[in-house]
Amino acid sequence: MNAPLESLSAGTASGGRKVLTVDDLCVEILSDEGAMLAVKRLGLALRLGQTFALVGESGCGKSMTALALLRLLPEAGRMIRGEVMLDGTDLGRLPESDMRSVRGGKIGIVFQEPSTSLNPVLTVGRQIVETLQTHTPHRGAAARRKAIEWLQRVGIEGAERRFHDYPFQFSGGQKQRIMIAIALAAEPRVLIADEPTTALDVTVQAQILELLADIQKEMGLAILLITHDLAVVSKVADHVALMRHGEIVETVPARQFFSAARHPYARQLLAAIPTYGKRGKPLTTVESDSAHRSDAARATASESANDTATTRAMESAASISGGGDADETARAARPATPSAGEPVLRVRNLCVSYRARGGLFSFNQTGVDVVSELSLDLYRGETLALLGESGCGKTTAAKALLRLLEKQARVSGSVTLAGQSVLDAGRAGLKRVRGDMQIVFQDPYASLDPRMQVGDILEEGVAALRPDLSRQRRRHRVRQLLDRVGLPSGAVERYPHEFSGGQRQRIAIARALAVEPKVLLCDEPTSALDVSVQAQLLELLQQLQRDSGMAYLFITHNFGVVEYLSDRIAVMHEGRIVETGETGRVLHHPTHEQTRRLLAAVPRL
């Protein structure tokens, strides 16, 4: 697990024998609009010791393909044609009793979201033991020893002690490691990794990729990697299949895909990746943007059906970044940091500590310090990126700025927004603060009310914070916002669950922009977006900033977005800001060890 990330690239081009082949796979989904093909005439082959990357944007059918291979399709889905052969056995013809031995025993799967895949009421040790008892001869103490060995193998410190812990007692990266341990405990021949690095920061992502590479080398696994993170694909894949609208449009060796992509869609995706060298330049062209809108219109119903049927988000953090020296031409095209005048947001010595519960209804005086002595200035028309590993306090700081933690945490310090104190504001003052400062949360599932139509969700904030607008003007603004974030006007009469994960995030962004705030706090706003949708939204945010002078505090671990969008960078570590500076200086001449560590872990094309 100590191999550098760069060594994980396609180094086993010859590979072993074919272990899994798929031919002419077609999957049909039944929806209110009728039957539609989610996967069309799909074919692929996995070899032992190789990584095959299935790449594509949300709703294209990647996760539906994985579920079809394991015969785990939702009730509304069915495989209408095709053949899935595992070591000469047609999985489509096996009775369900035999398929139970295939799932977990011969084919393991790591789902996209470990929080929903792990059983919250069982200890992690018991969940690994369950796999061992189902698919191996290990029983009793031998199964327990083997489970602890797997926890150690995937890098869980104190494995013997943590064997009895529950999933909620682990971080996101640790839960993903536990999912890998469960998937590999029975030593399967094939591993399906469905967005295994979703929402992980760059250092944890690098650790997970190195872990998978080491285990693949040791066990000779065939890995089917499902992702839209092209930078990750470039480092670990031997072959790439590009999927669009349920069909594979190109299958080539990984090196060829990145050096000489043949399909126009592949070139469009590669061109939309944000990098430092593209600062001041558009990520989308007129042709690709109009093509995307046309494709989106055709695919919306299919995307929604896929997302609802699989009951999980088919999005991931697109942690894609470009490297190299600073491009002086691009830098000149980027406006200078707009730091003139007084800052629109001034934060001094912000401290946040979560209260420790002392009894059933009481709190101790002591607490857990999450943010310590945080100070920053944010100017009109500026984008300040707040970077750091998961758990360093970034999101906590953003919520504290909006006074969303008063019941759970103790907040101190000074926060001034456009000359008004935020932490001392009364009810009327806080209402003005909320009109001037809005937030886009990371998880659109949790931040959108599932019982309200989209039009009502967007209009609610405008009505509360802009009572001067008539209902007719509010509705007109809602439709304008939907159009600007790339959604049809008919979306106003639909509910959040009818949209894909990326579409829901666009709705969340539209809601935050509805009241035209002075400051927008963006907490991983592109983590659920595909690269082309991400490109459109980055250009939208830039246009809005140019038009209104809005300031952005951009919380993210996507270094590509940071390189392309930000004017300044603040690096956070263990609750404190350890380095602040102009984007080019921090990226190319970091001074703090934590900054250098983060930059070293970024996968680059």
Side-chain angles (χ1 to χ4, degrees):
M1 281 185 279
N2 297 320
L5 187 60
E6 287 77 6
S7 69
L8 306 183
S9 57
T12 56
S14 57
R17 65 176 181 82
K18 290 181 182 179
V19 63
L20 179 71
T21 58
V22 182
D23 182 48
D24 198 29
L25 177 66
C26 294
V27 175
E28 185 180 70
I29 298 291
L30 299 177
S31 68
D32 293 340
E33 289 77 24
M36 60 187 70
L37 284 177
V39 179
K40 310 169 189 175
R41 300 182 297 279
L42 183 140
L44 56 84
L46 304 185
R47 294 181 178 272
L48 293 175
Q50 284 196 345
T51 297
F52 189 103
L54 186 59
V55 176
E57 295 188 290
S58 173
C60 72
K62 304 187 304 296
S63 293
M64 196 63 68
T65 298
L67 296 178
L69 299 184
L70 288 170
R71 283 174 46 185
L72 290 174
L73 288 170
E75 192 173 325
R78 64 190 182 102
M79 195 173 86
I80 60 174
R81 191 169 68 244
E83 188 177 72
V84 180
M85 302 293 292
L86 176 67
D87 282 330
T89 300
D90 187 352
L91 299 185
R93 297 180 180 275
L94 286 182
E96 179 59 26
S97 57
D98 290 342
M99 275 302 299
R100 294 194 188 106
S101 65
V102 171
R103 303 185 194 108
K106 297 178 181 178
I107 303 177
I109 184 167
V110 178
F111 289 107
Q112 178 175 348
E113 179 47 66
S115 296
T116 58
S117 302
L118 294 171
N119 192 325
V121 300
L122 297 181
T123 65
V124 298
R126 183 174 173 184
Q127 294 184 60
I128 301 175
V129 166
E130 185 178 49
T131 299
L132 291 167
Q133 290 178 338
T134 303
H135 299 292
T136 74
H138 296 291
R139 298 291 183 274
R144 184 179 184 277
R145 284 194 300 271
K146 194 70 175 176
I148 292 172
E149 179 184 320
W150 269 107
L151 286 175
Q152 293 170 335
R153 206 167 176 182
V154 298
I156 300 297
E157 294 184 7
E160 190 165 358
R161 171 177 51 84
R162 305 219 67 182
F163 178 89
H164 300 287
D165 286 348
Y166 290 87
F168 75 88
Q169 295 174 277
F170 295 85
S171 69
Q174 289 173 324
K175 281 186 278 196
Q176 193 65 288
R177 290 170 181 270
I178 293 165
M179 275 297 304
I180 293 172
I182 294 172
L184 296 179
E187 301 187 10
R189 308 278 279 168
V190 176
L191 176 68
I192 299 173
D194 187 1
E195 303 281 9
T197 59
T198 293
L200 301 181
D201 63 59
V202 288
T203 53
V204 177
Q205 174 182 263
Q207 294 167 13
I208 294 295
L209 293 175
E210 289 174 9
L211 168 65
L212 288 175
D214 284 351
I215 293 177
Q216 181 183 45
K217 184 176 180 182
E218 179 183 337
M219 298 174 57
L221 275 174
I223 295 180
L224 176 61
L225 176 65
I226 296 174
T227 185
H228 61 237
D229 190 333
L230 296 179
V232 167
V233 170
S234 71
K235 301 303 177 189
V236 303
D238 298 287
H239 296 278
V240 177
L242 179 61
M243 198 169 187
R244 192 182 200 192
H245 304 329
E247 295 182 271
I248 290 179
V249 296
E250 183 175 16
T251 303
V252 292
R255 295 187 187 279
Q256 180 181 334
F257 180 84
F258 291 101
S259 63
R262 293 177 298 183
H263 198 277
Y265 181 54
R267 295 195 295 270
Q268 177 187 326
L269 292 181
L270 292 169
I273 297 172
T275 67
Y276 190 84
K278 296 177 183 177
R279 288 165 69 86
K281 302 174 183 177
L283 295 174
T284 59
T285 62
V286 174
E287 291 80 9
S288 66
D289 185 61
S290 60
H292 178 85
R293 287 178 181 270
S294 176
D295 290 337
R298 291 196 306 269
T300 294
S302 177
E303 291 179 6
S304 301
N306 282 358
D307 283 1
T308 303
T310 57
T311 66
R312 73 170 67 90
M314 293 188 179
E315 308 284 329
S316 81
S319 305
I320 300 170
S321 179
D325 297 331
D327 184 329
E328 296 299 332
T329 303
R331 187 188 306 187
R334 176 79 175 179
T337 302
S339 57
E342 286 295 311
V344 65
L345 178 67
R346 181 188 293 271
V347 182
R348 291 292 179 269
N349 303 320
L350 181 69
C351 297
V352 183
S353 60
Y354 283 102
R355 299 168 180 173
R357 189 171 290 279
L360 186 59
F361 300 108
S362 64
F363 290 92
N364 290 329
Q365 292 301 311
T366 59
V368 179
D369 294 333
V370 180
V371 178
S372 302
E373 304 294 330
L374 184 144
S375 298
L376 59 85
D377 290 329
L378 183 62
Y379 294 89
R380 185 177 186 273
E382 178 188 40
T383 299
L384 173 63
L386 188 60
L387 294 177
E389 294 178 303
S390 297
C392 72
K394 305 186 301 296
T395 297
T396 297
K399 290 181 178 179
L401 295 179
L402 276 167
R403 289 178 53 179
L404 298 177
L405 298 175
E406 292 181 342
K407 292 184 179 179
Q408 314 100 283
R410 187 180 297 108
V411 180
S412 63
S414 171
V415 179
T416 305
L417 175 65
Q420 179 181 358
S421 174
V422 174
L423 300 185
D424 299 327
R427 185 168 183 174
L430 185 58
K431 188 173 182 179
R432 288 194 297 272
V433 166
R434 298 271 169 83
D436 287 339
M437 182 162 57
Q438 285 282 301
I439 186 169
V440 179
F441 293 104
Q442 178 177 355
D443 184 4
Y445 292 92
S447 62
L448 297 175
D449 191 329
R451 299 165 299 180
M452 295 177 66
Q453 291 181 334
V454 167
D456 295 331
I457 289 172
L458 298 184
E459 191 176 340
E460 181 184 43
V462 182
L465 299 174
R466 290 293 305 274
D468 55 302
L469 295 179
S470 67
R471 180 162 187 167
Q472 184 177 359
R473 289 183 64 190
R474 291 198 304 266
R475 289 184 172 179
H476 179 66
R477 174 172 290 187
V478 164
R479 294 181 185 276
Q480 280 185 321
L481 284 166
L482 288 174
D483 182 64
R484 296 207 71 177
V485 298
L487 291 174
S489 59
V492 296
E493 297 175 351
R494 297 167 61 188
Y495 291 88
H497 75 269
E498 299 181 71
F499 297 88
S500 71
Q503 290 170 328
R504 278 189 284 264
Q505 190 63 292
R506 282 181 264 177
I507 294 167
I509 292 172
R511 179 181 59 180
L513 297 175
V515 294
E516 299 180 350
K518 293 182 174 68
V519 173
L520 186 63
L521 308 181
C522 301
D523 187 6
E524 300 283 5
T526 61
S527 64
L529 303 181
D530 304 310
V531 63
S532 59
V533 177
Q534 172 184 267
Q536 292 177 29
L537 281 171
L538 291 180
E539 292 179 358
L540 167 64
L541 290 172
Q542 287 183 317
Q543 184 61 50
L544 289 169
Q545 192 173 59
R546 285 191 293 267
D547 294 344
S548 66
M550 196 184 311
Y552 300 144
L553 180 62
F554 211 93
I555 298 170
T556 185
H557 58 244
N558 187 333
F559 272 75
V561 171
V562 170
E563 293 177 0
Y564 179 77
L565 192 67
S566 67
D567 299 295
R568 288 189 297 131
I569 292 175
V571 180
M572 200 168 177
H573 181 56
E574 296 181 348
R576 299 176 182 272
I577 290 181
V578 296
E579 182 169 1
T580 306
E582 185 270 330
T583 296
R585 200 277 299 165
V586 174
L587 290 174
H588 300 108
H589 305 287
T591 59
H592 196 276
E593 176 58 32
Q594 178 64 12
T595 310
R596 291 194 289 268
R597 182 167 171 259
L598 289 172
L599 289 170
V602 177
R604 299 184 182 277
L605 291 175

